[in-house]
Amino acid sequence: MASKKMQWRVHTQNLLKELVESNEGMGILSKPVTIFGRLLAAVGERAAELNDEKLNALMIRLAIYSVADPGSPDYDPEIVHRYLEIPIEI
């Protein structure tokens, strides 16, 4: 029987929002988390320009690309599924 590794995914934008909004006393982190989110978005833009398969797989697993965000009109589950099949060592 072939073993299959679990493929993790994180919705980065929702995670960052949850960290700041849902945790009392975390308001002080609002600015750094916002800056971090913007930096990740810039990394995603650069990754899209480079168009490296493994880098794209990572961006999709982090839902940084809109095709991987179920809340986006660009969401494409077929693309997501295809990239989840690419082995990424964590």
Side-chain angles (χ1 to χ4, degrees), residues 12-17 19-20 29-45 62-64:
T12 303
Q13 184 178 12
N14 286 351
L15 173 64
L16 296 177
K17 183 178 177 183
L19 285 172
V20 173
L29 292 177
S30 178
K31 293 282 189 212
V33 168
T34 299
I35 292 167
F36 180 64
R38 289 181 182 156
L39 284 169
L40 284 176
V43 169
E45 288 178 19
L62 292 170
I64 291 177

Side-chain angles (χ1 to χ4, degrees), residues 4 10 34 39 41 61 63 68:
K4 187 167 183 160
V10 174
T34 299
L39 284 169
R61 284 181 172 85

